[in-house]
């Protein structure tokens, strides 16, 4: 049963901003070709591109279940809002249809072939989908053709390559991702049909083609690296399907090639060492160790550090259960595996060595190493490491770590001093709130609060002061502060913090109960600013604010003042038909 939904449901689903923009799209008749296939509402919406976006919404007994859009957001967007608004306001214009699956199931084989040929004639690019190997439901369909798989993968990848005078890169479109996924689903089906060898060929072929393609890309692609990880995951399953070393070596070589590419480019293949360690036989692991050692030997110690650490991770995973502590530590040192090195030294009780090794680490590693010391029960050396590094590299993360450690240990005086240093570098509400909480534990907040507020006033931190007053419930001072912020910005002074309009609305909302006149003034300042923007979605937002303004006028017995105000807005020059339309839609 299709549920009954209203504008409030749509607004809650997509958010106020997307709803307002979608409402404008609906009014401007951007929605076309709307139909209802079972519980799925489908249509197209013209946006910023020449071609309309494809939009669909799945409905259920409780309302909206999911949505999808071909725009860059993928859903929860103004196009979805526009489609839903079209449906609820023009239900008779929505054409009911059978689902595509139902229509296709009813066709004969001859009709299906004829339909597919017509589709291929209209969209020749679809022909490459015919190259995906078929899976016979009853079992394996014979050996797959690796060349055909690579040809299909290459076709998907190169069809989304774009080149111009300034760029040469890959447009990671949904069609390519879906096509590559179809190939991997084919491999999954082979594996589930007990044809793991076929599955391995497909996973390897797709991975090989992606790796070769990525060599020419200027930038990494999340879609491609995600697909490579999926290939590795599939190969990991194939690895456990046979314990014969001759069977495993081919799969291991494919996993090794993915890992080598990840070591070069980064960001994928990180689960492969564990896959090999857990799934390969001892004989097969020994072969991989030789491959890794050859990589390290060929690269030399002056090679890129990240590449050596990647190979170090592989070597440790394969050898950790078969080498002594000193051999383990040497591998860590030679490949830059600082975290494993320090962790093993701490486990062995060699604390001074662990400290010395940590002192030579990068700033980005120091907190992770300090946490290893804490977990091992050595808080003192951990704090010394961070303090020493803070002296040479004054980073906020180090201050935060030390402050948190002081709070955990009950040293509130030290925590307060560190929190004040943080606030000096990052004067935001969350830092102020934390200082208040720590100082309250020392019974010092009553003395500190006036000092902080006076300092912020001297620095003209009106935005932060407004947030503080709102949080503390001091509405009168919040109004004074947000007015000072607005005045400063009118004079061309950037005061930092929130944009004045957004913050003034928070103050206006808080002022409604005790200061309705001030709330009206603040709301109206934002209304006039929005109207001056001369855009329909701005008019819609202004109309929503005017609904609140009307309620405040009526509550305070100022009906005539409200009617005069609304008439002035409606009849302003030049006449704005779209504004009048939005006012009418808001019931004004």
């Amino acid at each position: 049963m299709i549920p009954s939904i209203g504008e409030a449901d749509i607004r809650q689903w997509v958010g106020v901003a997307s709803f307002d923009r979608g409402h404008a799209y609906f009014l401007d008749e951007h929605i076309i070709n709307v139909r209802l296939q079972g519980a799925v509402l489908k249509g197209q919406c013209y946006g910023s591109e020449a071609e309309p976006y494809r939009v669909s919404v799945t409905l259920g007994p409780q309302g909206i279940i999911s949505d999808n859009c071909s725009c860059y957001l993928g859903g929860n967007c103004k196009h979805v809002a526009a489609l839903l608004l079209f449906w609820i306001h023009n239900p008779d214009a929505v054409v009911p249809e059978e689902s595509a699956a139902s229509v296709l199931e009813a066709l004969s084989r001859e009709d299906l072939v004829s339909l597919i040929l017509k589709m291929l004639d209209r969209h020749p690019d679809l022909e490459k989908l015919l190259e995906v190997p078929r899976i016979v439901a009853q079992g394996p369909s014979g050996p797959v053709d690796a060349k055909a798989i690579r040809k299909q993968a290459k076709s998907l990848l190169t069809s989304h390559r774009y080149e111009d005078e300034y760029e040469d890169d890959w447009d990671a479109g949904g069609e390519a991702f879906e096509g590559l996924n179809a190939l991997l689903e084919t491999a999954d089906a082979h594996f589930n049909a007990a044809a793991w060898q076929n599955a391995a060929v497909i996973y390897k072929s797709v991975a090989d083609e992606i790796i070769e393609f990525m060599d020419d890309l200027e930038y990494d692609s999340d879609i491609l690296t995600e697909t490579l990880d999926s290939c590795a995951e599939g190969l990991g399953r194939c690895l456990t399907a046979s314990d014969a070393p001759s069977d495993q070596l081919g799969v291991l070589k494919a996993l090794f090639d993915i890992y080598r590419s990840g070591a070069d480019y980064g960001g994928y293949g990180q689960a492969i060492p564990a896959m090999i360690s857990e799934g390969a036989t001892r004989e097969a692991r020994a072969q991989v160790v030789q491959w890794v050692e050859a990589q390290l030997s060929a690269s030399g110690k002056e090679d890129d550090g990240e590449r050596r650490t990647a190979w170090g991770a592989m070597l440790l995973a394969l050898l950790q259960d078969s080498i002594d502590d000193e051999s383990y530590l040497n591998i860590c040192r030679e490949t830059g595996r600082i975290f494993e090195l320090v962790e093993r030294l701490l486990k062995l009780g060699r604390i001074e060595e662990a400290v010395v090794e940590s002192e030579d680490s990068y700033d980005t590693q120091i907190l992770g190493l300090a946490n290893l010391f804490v977990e091992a029960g050595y808080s003192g050396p951990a704090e010394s490491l961070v303090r020493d590094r803070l002296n040479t590299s004054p980073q906020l993360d180090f201050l935060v770590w030390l402050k948190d450690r002081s709070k955990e240990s009950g040293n509130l005086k030290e925590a307060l001093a560190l929190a004040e240093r943080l606030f000096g570098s990052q004067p935001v509400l969350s830092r102020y709130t934390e200082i208040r909480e720590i100082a309250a534990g020392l019974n010092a907040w009553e003395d500190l609060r006036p000092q902080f507020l006076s300092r912020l006033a001297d620095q003209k931190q009106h935005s932060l002061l407004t947030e503080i007053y709102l949080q503390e419930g001091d509405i009168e001072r919040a109004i004074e502060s947000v007015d000072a912020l607005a005045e400063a910005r009118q004079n061309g002074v950037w005061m930092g913090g929130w944009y004045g309009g957004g913050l003034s609305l928070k103050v206006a909302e808080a002022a409604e109960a005790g200061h309705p006149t001030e709330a009206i003034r603040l709301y109206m300042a934002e209304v006039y600013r929005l109207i001056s923007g001369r855009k329909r979605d701005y008019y819609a937002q202004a109309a929503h604010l005017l609904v609140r303004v009307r309620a405040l006028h009526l509550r305070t017995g100022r009906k005539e003042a409200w009617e005069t105000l609304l008439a002035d807005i409606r009849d302003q020059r030049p006449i704005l038909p779209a504004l009048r339309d939005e006012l009418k839609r808001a019931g004004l």
Side-chain angles (χ1 to χ4, degrees):
M1 179 178 178
I2 302 300
S4 175
I5 65 173
E7 290 192 359
D9 301 300
I10 301 171
R11 186 181 295 107
Q12 182 177 4
W13 180 260
V14 302
V16 174
S18 291
F19 176 86
D20 290 339
R21 297 186 181 100
H23 188 265
Y25 271 24
F26 161 61
L27 292 176
D28 290 339
E29 300 182 349
H30 284 227
I31 294 294
I32 61 172
N33 193 24
V34 183
R35 64 259 189 220
L36 188 64
Q37 295 181 348
V40 181
L41 182 69
K42 294 184 176 182
Q44 293 174 291
C45 181
Y46 281 102
S48 57
E49 301 295 330
E51 292 294 321
Y53 295 116
R54 299 183 303 277
V55 191
S56 66
V57 180
T58 301
L59 304 163
Q62 305 304 318
I64 304 168
I65 294 177
S66 63
D67 64 26
N68 185 270
C69 183
S70 60
C71 74
Y72 77 97
L73 290 175
N76 276 101
C77 57
K78 57 189 176 185
H79 312 110
V80 168
L83 175 64
L84 287 167
L85 285 166
F86 183 97
W87 177 50
I88 66 174
H89 290 293
N90 301 290
D92 293 338
V94 178
V95 180
E97 289 183 353
E98 289 186 77
S99 68
S102 298
V103 173
L104 292 173
E105 287 173 357
L107 295 178
S108 66
R109 181 179 184 278
E110 291 75 13
D111 289 339
L112 277 172
V113 171
S114 176
L115 175 62
I116 292 171
L117 290 174
K118 289 178 181 178
M119 293 172 65
L120 293 175
D121 184 56
R122 181 171 296 184
H123 302 285
D125 284 349
L126 293 177
E127 189 170 351
K128 58 180 175 285
L129 294 177
L130 298 178
E131 297 173 16
V132 179
R134 293 179 299 157
I135 298 299
V136 178
Q138 291 75 14
S141 57
V144 298
D145 186 346
K147 289 183 179 179
I149 298 295
R150 291 199 63 161
K151 180 181 178 182
Q152 169 68 1
K154 184 174 183 178
S155 175
L156 287 164
L157 293 167
T158 55
S159 65
H160 290 269
R161 189 70 176 264
Y162 63 87
E163 300 182 20
D164 61 29
E165 182 180 356
Y166 304 102
E167 296 183 271
D168 178 10
D169 212 339
W170 192 67
D171 175 18
E175 183 181 342
F177 182 66
E178 291 172 3
L180 292 171
N181 258 351
L183 288 171
L184 298 189
E185 288 171 1
T186 301
D188 294 341
H190 274 288
F191 184 85
N192 293 333
W196 68 266
Q197 296 95 334
N198 280 347
V201 169
I202 299 173
Y203 293 130
K204 179 182 185 304
S205 298
V206 173
D208 287 347
E209 197 59 47
I210 292 176
I211 290 169
E212 183 175 315
F213 182 76
M214 287 181 65
D215 285 340
D216 296 330
L217 283 184
E218 184 176 351
Y219 302 103
D220 289 343
S221 162
D222 290 340
I223 285 181
L224 296 184
T225 56
E226 181 181 333
T227 306
L228 282 173
D229 277 332
S230 296
C231 291
E233 183 181 344
L235 287 165
R237 293 195 300 271
C238 294
L239 184 64
T240 61
S242 172
D243 56 5
S246 57
D247 287 337
Q248 287 197 338
L249 283 178
V251 177
L252 288 171
K253 183 62 169 61
L255 284 168
F256 186 82
D257 289 342
I258 295 174
Y259 191 77
R260 178 169 53 195
S261 178
D264 290 338
Y265 297 108
Y268 53 93
Q270 296 178 13
I272 290 176
M275 291 180 190
I276 297 176
S277 176
E278 297 169 6
T281 64
R282 179 179 299 180
E283 182 180 346
R285 288 200 305 272
Q287 178 61 64
V288 179
V289 169
Q290 292 182 25
W291 295 342
V292 175
E293 289 175 339
Q295 288 291 319
L296 288 169
S297 176
S299 63
K301 293 186 177 181
E302 301 303 321
D303 190 22
D304 178 75
E306 292 186 4
R307 188 179 292 111
R308 288 189 67 80
T309 57
W311 290 120
M314 174 78 83
L315 207 53
L316 290 175
L318 297 175
L319 297 175
Q320 59 182 337
D321 296 330
S322 60
I323 55 176
D324 58 30
D325 288 326
E326 290 306 319
S327 298
Y328 184 95
L329 294 174
N330 284 336
I331 292 174
C332 291
R333 290 189 178 99
E334 290 175 2
T335 60
R337 302 298 303 183
I338 182 66
F339 289 99
E340 290 88 344
L341 173 61
V342 170
E343 186 176 36
R344 182 59 64 93
L345 288 171
L346 291 172
K347 184 179 180 180
L348 296 171
R350 293 156 64 171
I351 312 307
E352 291 184 5
E353 283 184 66
V355 170
V356 170
E357 297 288 357
S358 299
E359 288 173 343
D360 290 333
S361 65
Y362 296 111
D363 287 347
T364 54
Q365 299 171 324
I366 200 70
L367 293 182
L369 293 170
N371 288 331
L372 290 179
F373 278 85
V374 172
E375 291 166 8
Y378 301 104
S379 298
E383 293 174 13
S384 296
L385 273 174
V386 179
R387 289 185 189 281
D388 290 344
R389 188 58 61 93
L390 180 62
N391 291 332
T392 59
S393 181
Q395 296 186 19
L396 291 183
D397 287 347
F398 299 156
L399 277 173
V400 171
W401 190 91
L402 289 168
K403 178 260 300 175
D404 290 342
R405 287 295 307 156
S406 297
K407 287 174 66 176
E408 291 171 11
S409 64
N411 188 351
L412 295 184
K413 186 176 180 180
E414 176 69 11
L416 180 60
L418 291 165
E420 290 189 43
R421 287 181 63 182
L422 280 167
F423 183 79
S425 299
Q426 196 178 45
V428 295
L429 183 62
S430 59
R431 298 291 181 208
Y432 174 88
T433 302
E434 185 172 42
I435 289 173
R436 181 176 63 204
E437 293 171 353
I438 298 172
L442 293 168
N443 296 317
W445 181 237
E446 291 302 319
D447 294 329
L448 280 178
R449 181 178 182 274
Q451 298 175 29
F452 272 94
L453 296 181
S454 176
R455 189 187 315 159
L456 292 174
D458 291 341
Q459 297 170 352
K460 301 188 184 304
Q461 292 272 10
H462 301 306
S463 179
L464 178 55
L465 280 169
T466 304
E467 293 183 78
I468 289 171
Y469 292 137
L470 280 174
Q471 187 189 69
E472 296 180 347
D474 192 341
I475 305 305
E476 289 186 8
R477 289 195 176 184
I479 293 170
E480 294 173 1
S481 185
V482 82
D483 284 344
L485 176 62
E487 181 180 355
R489 285 184 169 145
Q490 286 175 359
N491 294 330
V493 180
W494 171 246
M495 305 307 300
W498 284 39
Y499 173 69
L503 189 54
S504 68
L505 290 181
K506 289 195 70 176
V507 176
E509 184 176 356
E512 285 187 12
H515 305 273
T517 300
E518 295 298 322
I520 289 171
R521 178 177 62 80
L522 292 170
Y523 278 136
M524 289 308 303
E526 182 65 6
V527 166
Y528 289 128
R529 187 188 71 82
L530 288 167
I531 292 175
S532 69
R534 295 292 195 271
K535 293 180 66 175
R536 183 181 283 274
D537 56 344
Y538 290 171
Y539 298 154
Q541 294 175 52
H544 287 308
L545 293 180
L546 283 169
V547 170
R548 306 191 77 144
V549 171
R550 176 181 63 182
L552 288 170
H553 274 89
L554 297 180
R555 195 187 84 197
T556 55
R558 301 167 60 190
K559 182 179 179 181
E560 290 184 5
W562 159 249
E563 291 175 348
T564 300
L565 175 63
L566 181 60
D568 289 343
I569 292 174
R570 185 183 290 116
D571 299 332
Q572 66 175 306
R573 295 291 185 271
I575 296 295
L576 302 173
L579 172 60
R580 288 184 172 185
D581 187 39
E582 292 299 331
L583 293 175
K584 182 179 179 181
R585 289 193 59 79
L588 301 174

